[in-house]
Amino acid sequence: MKTVYPQIVTSADMLKSTIQLEQLIQKLKNNHAKAAAITNSRLYGVLPFWHELQKNDIHPVIGLSIKVQLDNEIVSLIVYAKNNNGYENIVKISSGLEIKELDELPKKWLQAYKNGVIALCKADQNVSKEALVELQEVFGSSHLYIGMERPNGVKQAMEQEIMEIAYNLSIPISVFHMSRYIEKEDAFAFEVLNAMDQSLKMADFNRLKPSDESLHIRNEEEWQKIFSDVPVWLENTAEMLERCQLSFENRAHHMPKFPLAESRLSKGYLRELCEDGLKKRVSSVTEAYKKRLNYELQIINEMNYEDYFLIVQDFMKFAKQSHILTGPGRGSSASSLVAYSLFITDVDPLVYGLLFERFLNPERISLPDIDIDFADSRRMEVIQYVAEKYGKNHVSQIITFGTLSAKAVAREVARVFGFESSTLEAISSFIPSKPGISLKEAYEQSQKLREFIQTEEVRKKWFQVALALEGLPRNASTHAAGVVLSPVPLVDLVPIQVGHDDLFLTQWPMKEVEQIGLLKMDFLGLRNLTIIERILKFIQYSQTTSIALDAIPLHDERTFRLLQNGDTTGVFQLESPGMRNALKQIKPTKFEDIVAVNALYRPGPMDSIPLYASRKHGQQAVTYEHPVLEPILKETYGIIVYQEQIMQIASQMAGFTFGEADLLRRAVSKKNREVLQKERTHFVQKAIHHGHTDEAASSVYDLIVRFADYGFPKSHAVAYSIISYQMAYLKAHFPTQFYCALLTTSAGNQDKVNQFLMEMKQKGMAILPPSVHKSYAYFSVENGGVRFGLQAVKGVSHSFIQKLMQLRSNGSAKWSDIFELASDLTAIHFTRKNVEPLIKAGALDEFNVERSTLLATLDAAVKYAELVSPTEESDLFNGSISSFGKSKYIHMETLPLMMKLQFEKEVLGQYFSEHPTVSMKKNSSDKIDRIWDIQQSLKEAKVKIIGLIEEIKRIRTKKGEMMAFVTLQDETGNVSVTLFPEDYAKFEGMLEEHSIVRVEGKSERRNGRTQIIGKIVLNC
C-alpha cells in the first residue's frame, strides 16, 4: 500500500492540534508518505502545507472539515479539492461559514459549491442511510466516500451496518483517522491544549476529553494492522487522495483596475496626472525632470503597474482633502518621481539623488511596495474610503496569528494544571524578559526556573507540556497595516472571514496573501503624525494663525541649535539617549546630517558616527578608497551610509545599470561565499573594461561587501528625517503647543507625562493646574502655558467630565463655590468618587477655600446635590435655588505641605506644588546639584544632591549582605542611588519613603542611564 494520510489537522487550526509543519514533514518523510491531506476546520495554513509537501515530493491535498445541515440531520463531512475549481468552491464554503457565522453549512450551499469537490462522510452512529442517500444525490457515487474509523484500532459497533448501506448504495469506503499530534507520546500535551481551547482546567468535571487516545501520525505497519481485514479501504483512500490534483503554481498578479471612463486608458491618465503634478511640485520642469519622469513611466507601463499608482494617488488625494495628515514617504517609494508628482510622497528624488531602481527594478520584476503613513487616529477613514470605492467584497484587512511565547505558554499550561495564581506570577518572574526567548534558553539561563521544575514531578510534567506547546498559534488578530485589494471578489482567490469595522479579514496572513498574487498595501498608523496634527491645531487655536508643514524651511538655525543640544524629547526617531549623543557629536548644520544620523544609528553602522562627526568638523581628513568614489561619498564624508551609494559606485566604476547594481547589492548583502566570488569576478571584469586596474576594482569591491548589509535605504532615511525635522522645528518655535500635544497623546503613561512636565519646568514654561472652570478633558494651551486636562486626574469618570464640559459650553456655568457646582452637576455626577480627586489635584482652588476645608465639606455638598438636584431631569426650585439655604463650609486648618504634595502625587502622578526639596536647597550653604543636570551630563563627577526618597529596593548580595537602590527625586527629576553594604549598614535608619535626605557620591553612566554611587550624609 502507498502510505497516505487522509486527515491531518495542523497547529494552524488554533488549539486543535500540536502538529507543526516542520515536524510533520520530517515524520511524513520517515514514514515514506506518498500523499497527505490537511483537513483543518478553517483554511488556515493550507498554502504553506501545500508548498512544503510539494517541495518534499509528497502529494499534497487540500481538505476542509465541516458539518452540514441535511433535511433531517447534521453530518460531519470533509470536502477535498479535486481540482482548482473544487478548491475555489471550498474557499467559498469556508468563507461563507465564517462570514455568516454558521456552525453548519446549509444543504443548498453544498449543492451550489459541489463542483470539483470530493466529499467524505465520517461514519458514526448518527449517520443514517437517508443521510447518505441525500449526500449521494448531491455528489453522485463517484465523488462521495464513507470514512470508517477504528478508534484506538477497535472496530465500531455500527461498522457492519454501514458496510451494507455502502454496498447497497455503491459508495466506496475509505479509512478515517484524524491526526492531531505527531507521536503517541504527544497525547497528553494535546489533551492539555484541548483544555486550553475549552478555557477549562484539567481537573474540571465539565471538560470534554478527546474521545480517541491515538490521534498520532500512524506508520505503515499500524495502518496495515488496523485495517488488515479490509485492504480495499486503504486502496480507496489512496485512490481518493490521488484523484485530488490541485496546483498553486504560476499564479498571476491580480492587479485591480482604477475606475475610468471606457474612453480613457490608465497609461494616458497616469501620464497626464504626473505631468500636471510635476508642474505644481517644481518651479521649473527641466530636461532632467522630463527624462526621469519618462523613464519611470516607461518601466511602470512595461510592468503594468499604472493602475496601482492611480489607486494610491486616489486615496492619498482623499486623505488630503479630508485633512488627514500623511507621511512624506516610507521605504523605497520615496525614490520615485512619479510618486512625488502624484503627491503620494513629499520627497523630490532628484534633489536627494535617490534611485528609482531601488524602488522598482526593471531587472527584478516584483510588486512594488508603496507603504503610507497616516495619523493613527484617522487611518481607518482612508481604509473605509477604499472599501467603499472598490466594493466591500474586493477589500480586506489581513489576518495575523499570535503564538504561545515562552512566558505565555508557561503561564497558560500552569493555569490549566491548576497552579495557584501566585505560582503563575513566580513562573513569569523566573523566565527572563527578553524578546524571543525560548523555554529552553530560559531553562539554561534561569537557575530559579531549574530549581522550581526539579522540586516536584507535576512541575516536570508541566514543563514538558509547555515545551511541546511553545510556538503554537494561540489567537488571530488584524495585521496592523496590511490591506488587500482585489480586481475580483476576494472569495474567488482567498478565504475570508468577519473582521472589524465592517471589513473582511483574510484567513491567510500577509506572506500567503502575497504568494497568490494579490495586491497588498500597508496603511500604517503613525502616532507622531497625530502629534503633529495636534500641534498644528493648538497653534491655530492659540495664535489664530496656521502653519503649513511644506512651508517649513529646512535650514532653520533655531531648529539646528535644538538638535545640536540633543534637546529631542518627543522628536520622532531622535529621542533615545544614544541618538541624542549622536546628535551632540555630529552637531547637525544641514538637513542631510539628520538623514545620515537616522541611517547610521543602528547596530554596526553606529560605529561610524564618531568618524562622521570628526570628519565633518575637520578634525580628521576625508579619504576615499578610489577617486571615483569622491562625488558619491562626499556628502557623507567618505563613509558608505546608504544602499544607493553602493549602487552608484557599481554604476560609476563598473558600468552596471542601476538595476544590475541593485541586484549586486542584494546578492552581496547575503554574504554567501559562492555568490560573493561570482559577483567579484563580474564586478572586477566590468571595472577593468572601464579602464580601472584589477587591484583598484578588487579594493572597491571589498568596500562594497563590507558595507552592503550596513547600508540603509536613503529614500526611507530622507522621508523619515523630514518628520524628525518638522517635529524639531515645531518644538523649537512652538514649544508650548508641542508639549501640550505630547502630554495629550501620552495620557495614561504617567512616566512619559512626568518626563515632559519636568522638561517644561526646566525651561521655565508655565504649567497650569487642573481647573473645573478652565480645564478641558485633555491638556490645553492657555495664555502661553499648558493647562492640565481633567482626564489626567486619576479617579474622575468620563461621564463627569462630559457633563462638566456640557455645562460650561452653555456659557452660564461660573460657579462661586462647591455647592453651586454640586447643584448644577446633580447627584448623578457630583459624587465623592468624582470630586475628591479634583479637590486633591487643586481643580477647585478657584473657590478660594483651603483644600482641607473642601475635603471636610465634600459630604455636605454631596447631600446638598441629592436634595436639590437628585436627577438630571429634576428641578425642584424652578431654575433658582436662592430661596433654599446653602450648606456652609466646614473650615479646617491648612493641609501640611507633605500631605498636600502626597495628595497631588496620588491623583496627578507627581508633586504639583513647590517641591519640598526646593526650600531645603535654598537653606543649604553648599552648592547642591540638580538631578536634571546630573542626568544630562555624560561625564562622571562628584555630586551633592538633596532629594525625596521615592522608592527603596533592598537586595541581598551573594555574600548575604544587605544593600539598597534608592530612587531620589528633586524638583528637576529622579535618579537611582546605590548604597553598598557598608553604607547601607550605616544609613539604613534614614531610609524611609517620602523622607528627604542629602546624598554625596559619584555619578556614573551605565547602559545609557545615570546612577549615583553614594552615601547619605544627612536626614533633612
Side-chain angles (χ1 to χ4, degrees):
M1 171 215 165
K2 297 176 180 177
T3 309
V4 298
Y5 294 88
Q7 294 95 26
I8 295 176
V9 177
T10 70
S11 62
D13 205 0
M14 288 177 293
L15 306 184
K16 303 290 191 299
S17 164
T18 66
I19 298 175
Q20 299 191 62
L21 197 50
E22 188 178 338
Q23 302 165 332
L24 173 65
I25 296 295
Q26 193 55 53
K27 183 68 176 177
L28 292 178
K29 286 167 71 176
N30 292 344
N31 288 3
H32 309 292
K34 303 299 180 186
I38 185 172
T39 54
N40 291 349
S41 62
R42 293 183 177 94
L43 289 176
Y44 294 166
V46 298
L47 201 59
F49 178 91
W50 190 90
H51 282 297
E52 283 303 310
L53 265 69
Q54 188 85 347
K55 194 192 300 181
N56 286 279
D57 297 321
I58 302 168
H59 177 56
V61 176
I62 304 300
L64 178 71
S65 295
I66 60 172
K67 289 185 183 297
V68 177
Q69 176 64 67
L70 298 177
D71 290 344
N72 296 307
E73 59 190 284
I74 295 170
V75 295
S76 295
L77 286 191
I78 293 177
V79 285
Y80 296 100
K82 182 185 175 186
N83 49 35
N84 280 53
N85 178 233
Y87 167 72
E88 289 163 7
N89 280 324
I90 287 175
V91 167
K92 290 181 174 68
I93 289 170
S94 180
S95 301
L97 285 168
E98 292 299 314
I99 291 166
K100 298 293 184 182
E101 299 180 329
L102 298 175
D103 293 324
E104 292 91 28
L105 186 78
K107 179 183 172 182
K108 62 180 179 181
W109 287 20
L110 192 66
Q111 290 169 323
Y113 299 127
K114 67 179 182 180
N115 291 341
V117 170
I118 291 175
L120 181 146
C121 178
K122 180 185 174 184
D124 57 34
Q125 59 269 28
N126 297 320
V127 176
S128 66
K129 181 178 180 180
E130 290 73 24
L132 291 170
V133 169
E134 273 189 75
L135 289 170
Q136 193 176 42
E137 287 171 356
V138 174
F139 291 102
S141 298
S142 62
H143 286 77
L144 177 66
Y145 288 77
I146 296 172
M148 196 74 81
E149 184 177 21
R150 288 181 175 176
N152 301 315
V154 179
K155 289 184 181 182
Q156 296 184 78
M158 56 25 172
E159 191 173 289
Q160 188 61 39
E161 183 185 345
I162 295 291
M163 288 171 64
E164 290 173 8
I165 295 171
Y167 177 79
N168 291 331
L169 295 176
S170 301
I171 301 173
I173 296 176
S174 70
V175 299
F176 187 97
H177 176 70
M178 194 72 85
S179 299
R180 294 185 183 271
Y181 41 87
I182 300 282
E183 308 289 353
K184 285 183 179 179
E185 296 75 29
D186 299 330
F188 183 69
F190 172 70
E191 190 174 347
V192 174
L193 185 74
N194 186 250
M196 286 168 56
D197 191 27
Q198 297 175 62
S199 299
L200 296 174
K201 294 178 181 177
M202 295 295 283
D204 198 307
F205 290 115
N206 295 318
R207 181 170 68 87
L208 299 175
K209 296 180 182 180
S211 57
D212 193 338
E213 295 172 5
S214 60
L215 302 176
H216 61 290
I217 303 285
R218 288 174 175 164
N219 59 34
E220 186 175 357
E221 289 72 27
E222 287 177 290
W223 282 118
Q224 296 290 355
K225 182 180 177 183
I226 294 168
F227 294 101
S228 59
D229 57 323
V230 280
V232 69
W233 293 1
L234 294 171
E235 291 168 14
N236 288 343
T237 307
E239 180 204 28
M240 177 183 73
L241 296 187
E242 187 62 34
R243 292 174 67 193
C244 296
Q245 297 291 331
L246 162 68
S247 176
F248 285 107
E249 303 293 357
N250 304 318
R251 290 272 175 170
H253 289 310
H254 303 286
M255 182 61 70
K257 296 293 291 179
F258 180 72
L260 287 171
E262 284 187 25
S263 58
R264 305 219 62 171
L265 294 176
S266 297
K267 291 179 182 178
Y269 186 56
L270 178 64
R271 174 173 287 278
E272 186 182 309
L273 287 179
C274 286
E275 288 174 349
D276 288 347
L278 190 57
K279 288 173 189 172
K280 295 171 185 172
R281 280 296 203 182
V282 298
S283 53
S284 174
V285 181
T286 62
E287 195 58 36
Y289 278 106
K290 291 177 184 174
K291 186 178 177 182
R292 174 67 172 260
L293 187 65
N294 286 332
Y295 170 69
E296 289 191 19
L297 286 171
Q298 179 190 340
I299 292 173
I300 290 166
N301 292 340
E302 285 172 1
M303 293 182 171
N304 296 313
Y305 291 156
E306 53 272 5
D307 283 290
Y308 182 20
F309 283 84
L310 290 173
I311 288 164
V312 177
Q313 68 80 31
D314 178 68
F315 67 67
M316 287 295 284
K317 182 180 174 183
F318 163 79
K320 287 176 168 64
Q321 288 174 343
S322 304
H323 306 291
I324 299 169
L325 195 58
T326 61
R330 183 188 181 96
S332 57
S333 63
S335 58
S336 167
L337 185 65
V338 166
Y340 180 63
S341 301
L342 294 171
F343 293 84
I344 292 170
T345 65
D346 291 324
V347 176
D348 185 336
L350 271 68
V351 169
Y352 297 103
L354 305 180
L355 307 177
F356 180 66
E357 292 80 1
R358 177 62 189 82
F359 167 57
L360 200 56
N361 189 340
E363 298 180 44
R364 182 182 174 273
I365 296 176
S366 61
L367 270 175
D369 280 328
I370 306 180
D371 301 335
I372 308 292
D373 289 311
F374 299 95
D376 62 354
S377 58
R378 303 189 64 193
R379 161 185 170 272
M380 190 50 68
E381 292 178 46
V382 188
I383 296 174
Q384 293 286 7
Y385 168 78
V386 172
E388 287 169 20
K389 185 174 183 85
Y390 298 96
K392 184 182 172 183
N393 293 328
H394 295 254
V395 178
S396 173
Q397 291 184 283
I398 300 173
I399 204 168
T400 183
F401 296 103
T403 56
L404 286 163
S405 64
K407 281 202 178 193
V409 77
R411 283 181 63 96
E412 191 68 7
V413 174
R415 184 192 64 75
V416 172
F417 268 46
F419 289 5
E420 297 290 334
S421 56
S422 58
T423 307
L424 267 62
E425 295 302 321
I427 287 169
S428 286
S429 69
F430 297 156
I431 299 171
S433 296
K434 180 181 169 187
I437 193 169
S438 69
L439 279 178
K440 188 178 176 183
E441 290 168 336
Y443 184 83
E444 290 167 357
Q445 294 174 24
S446 173
Q447 184 180 343
K448 287 183 177 179
L449 179 61
R450 292 195 297 273
E451 290 172 353
F452 174 81
I453 292 166
Q454 297 305 323
T455 53
E456 294 178 27
E457 284 301 314
V458 69
R459 293 178 179 179
K460 291 178 185 176
K461 191 72 175 172
W462 156 78
F463 191 65
Q464 287 171 0
V465 172
L467 282 170
L469 303 186
E470 184 179 12
L472 296 184
R474 175 70 177 89
N475 61 287
S477 57
T478 305
H479 187 274
V483 173
V484 171
L485 181 57
S486 169
V488 296
L490 280 161
V491 290
D492 291 347
L493 300 170
V494 65
I496 56 176
Q497 62 188 60
V498 174
H500 299 289
D501 301 295
D502 200 30
L503 291 167
F504 290 129
L505 191 65
T506 61
Q507 288 184 29
W508 290 356
M510 185 164 60
K511 183 181 175 183
E512 293 160 42
V513 163
E514 290 180 305
Q515 266 183 312
I516 60 160
L518 276 168
L519 176 63
K520 184 270 301 180
M521 299 178 288
D522 277 348
F523 291 67
L524 296 115
L526 191 61
R527 177 176 166 271
N528 285 272
L529 291 178
T530 300
I531 293 171
I532 291 174
E533 213 169 46
R534 286 197 169 126
I535 295 168
L536 298 178
K537 283 179 182 175
F538 285 139
I539 292 169
Q540 190 173 357
Y541 292 154
S542 57
Q543 301 197 354
T544 63
T545 58
S546 59
I547 178 170
L549 289 176
D550 55 8
I552 289 176
L554 290 177
H555 45 75
D556 179 67
E557 282 187 28
R558 197 188 296 184
T559 304
F560 284 117
R561 213 161 38 242
L562 178 140
L563 293 168
Q564 290 161 11
N565 293 331
D567 181 14
T568 50
T569 298
V571 175
F572 181 59
Q573 302 276 70
L574 305 180
E575 58 179 330
S576 71
M579 186 61 94
R580 291 174 198 243
N581 292 339
L583 289 168
K584 288 176 183 177
Q585 285 181 67
I586 289 173
K587 297 195 180 301
T589 53
K590 58 183 189 292
F591 176 69
E592 286 74 10
D593 288 335
I594 305 168
V595 180
V597 79
N598 260 327
L600 285 170
Y601 191 73
R602 293 173 299 116
M606 66 170 56
D607 294 339
S608 298
I609 289 173
L611 180 62
Y612 184 101
S614 60
R615 287 183 173 184
K616 173 179 169 62
H617 301 309
Q619 297 159 350
Q620 194 170 330
V622 178
T623 59
Y624 302 96
E625 196 80 20
H626 189 280
V628 79
L629 305 184
E630 184 170 352
I632 299 168
L633 301 182
K634 190 174 182 181
E635 68 166 317
T636 52
Y637 305 99
I639 303 164
I640 294 179
V641 176
Y642 309 116
Q643 293 173 357
E644 286 85 345
Q645 289 173 318
I646 293 170
M647 294 166 66
Q648 288 169 323
I649 291 168
S651 172
Q652 284 292 98
M653 192 163 197
F656 279 43
T657 65
F658 284 130
E660 285 179 306
D662 184 50
L663 295 178
L664 171 73
R665 176 194 64 77
R666 289 171 185 270
V668 298
S669 68
K670 292 174 183 173
K671 296 287 191 273
N672 180 296
R673 185 174 295 178
E674 200 175 303
V675 172
L676 287 176
Q677 189 53 48
K678 180 185 171 187
E679 292 297 337
R680 175 186 290 279
T681 304
H682 184 209
F683 180 86
V684 171
Q685 285 177 351
K686 292 198 76 170
I688 291 170
H689 181 72
H690 280 75
H692 300 289
T693 66
D694 186 312
E695 185 183 10
S698 291
S699 175
V700 170
Y701 181 77
D702 288 339
L703 190 71
I704 289 174
V705 170
R706 194 158 70 247
F707 284 92
D709 57 347
Y710 279 5
F712 193 76
K714 188 180 182 184
S715 52
H716 184 72
V718 170
Y720 265 28
S721 294
I722 289 174
I723 303 176
S724 301
Y725 183 88
Q726 287 171 344
M727 293 196 78
Y729 178 91
L730 292 169
K731 184 172 186 179
H733 290 268
F734 305 96
T736 306
Q737 291 85 351
F738 180 87
Y739 280 106
C740 191
L742 281 184
L743 288 163
T744 297
T745 51
S746 300
N749 185 337
Q750 198 58 53
D751 289 341
K752 277 285 185 189
V753 169
N754 289 349
Q755 181 190 359
F756 300 144
L757 292 170
M758 203 70 77
E759 276 199 23
M760 292 175 70
K761 288 174 184 175
Q762 287 309 301
K763 297 179 177 184
M765 298 172 68
I767 304 167
L768 307 170
S771 161
V772 291
H773 287 122
K774 298 173 184 173
S775 287
Y776 292 92
Y778 298 102
F779 290 88
S780 56
V781 176
E782 183 185 318
N783 297 330
V786 172
R787 172 74 71 179
F788 253 81
L790 296 179
Q791 291 273 34
V793 183
K794 291 177 189 172
V796 183
S797 72
H798 181 64
S799 60
F800 175 92
I801 295 168
Q802 279 187 315
K803 179 65 175 178
L804 193 75
M805 295 299 113
Q806 180 193 334
L807 291 170
R808 285 206 341 229
S809 67
N810 296 336
S812 57
K814 183 64 180 172
W815 306 287
S816 61
D817 60 32
I818 194 170
F819 300 106
E820 290 183 6
L821 180 67
S823 172
D824 274 6
L825 281 168
T826 76
I828 301 295
H829 302 286
F830 192 93
T831 62
R832 172 171 279 279
K833 190 177 178 182
N834 278 324
V835 182
E836 185 177 321
L838 292 172
I839 296 171
K840 289 178 176 179
L844 273 62
D845 283 1
E846 288 159 286
F847 293 157
N848 296 317
V849 178
E850 288 291 338
R851 293 182 195 177
S852 55
T853 297
L854 290 167
L855 288 169
T857 309
L858 180 54
D859 285 339
V862 169
K863 288 177 181 175
Y864 182 76
E866 290 169 352
L867 179 64
V868 301
S869 306
T871 68
E872 292 190 81
E873 288 76 30
S874 60
D875 188 358
L876 303 180
F877 301 95
N878 298 319
S880 171
I881 59 168
S882 56
S883 59
F884 188 86
K886 286 184 194 173
S887 298
K888 294 184 178 179
Y889 283 117
I890 302 168
H891 291 280
M892 302 292 287
E893 293 290 325
T894 304
L895 289 174
L897 177 60
M898 278 310 299
M899 184 179 287
K900 183 180 181 182
L901 289 169
Q902 278 306 114
F903 281 158
E904 290 176 355
K905 176 87 172 172
E906 176 192 325
V907 297
L908 294 175
Q910 60 172 296
Y911 304 114
F912 194 85
S913 301
E914 183 178 275
H915 201 277
T917 58
V918 173
S919 58
M920 304 287 186
K921 288 182 183 181
K922 288 175 183 174
N923 296 331
S924 175
S925 55
D926 291 344
K927 181 184 179 297
I928 302 298
D929 296 294
R930 301 189 315 170
I931 290 175
W932 170 271
D933 296 330
I934 296 168
Q935 294 278 25
Q936 296 306 303
S937 175
L938 299 179
K939 298 175 183 176
E940 295 185 351
K942 289 184 178 179
V943 296
K944 295 177 183 177
I945 60 172
I946 291 177
L948 182 143
I949 297 178
E950 269 196 325
E951 184 184 6
I952 306 161
K953 187 178 180 182
R954 296 175 173 88
I955 65 165
R956 197 174 290 278
T957 67
K958 289 180 180 178
K959 292 181 179 179
E961 298 173 307
M962 292 299 295
M963 64 175 288
F965 299 100
V966 182
T967 304
L968 284 190
Q969 183 195 70
D970 69 3
E971 79 282 7
T972 69
N974 55 43
V975 71
S976 176
V977 177
T978 304
L979 293 177
F980 287 118
E982 187 181 341
D983 291 317
Y984 176 82
K986 286 181 190 175
F987 308 118
E988 194 214 347
M990 298 183 186
L991 294 181
E992 255 184 73
E993 286 191 5
H994 309 312
S995 63
I996 298 172
V997 295
R998 174 172 161 154
V999 170
E1000 292 182 7
K1002 184 183 177 185
S1003 65
E1004 288 185 356
R1005 280 189 77 78
R1006 287 191 184 178
N1007 302 321
R1009 291 180 174 274
T1010 299
Q1011 62 180 22
I1012 296 172
I1013 309 299
K1015 57 184 178 181
I1016 299 172
V1017 296
L1018 181 67
N1019 192 327
C1020 303

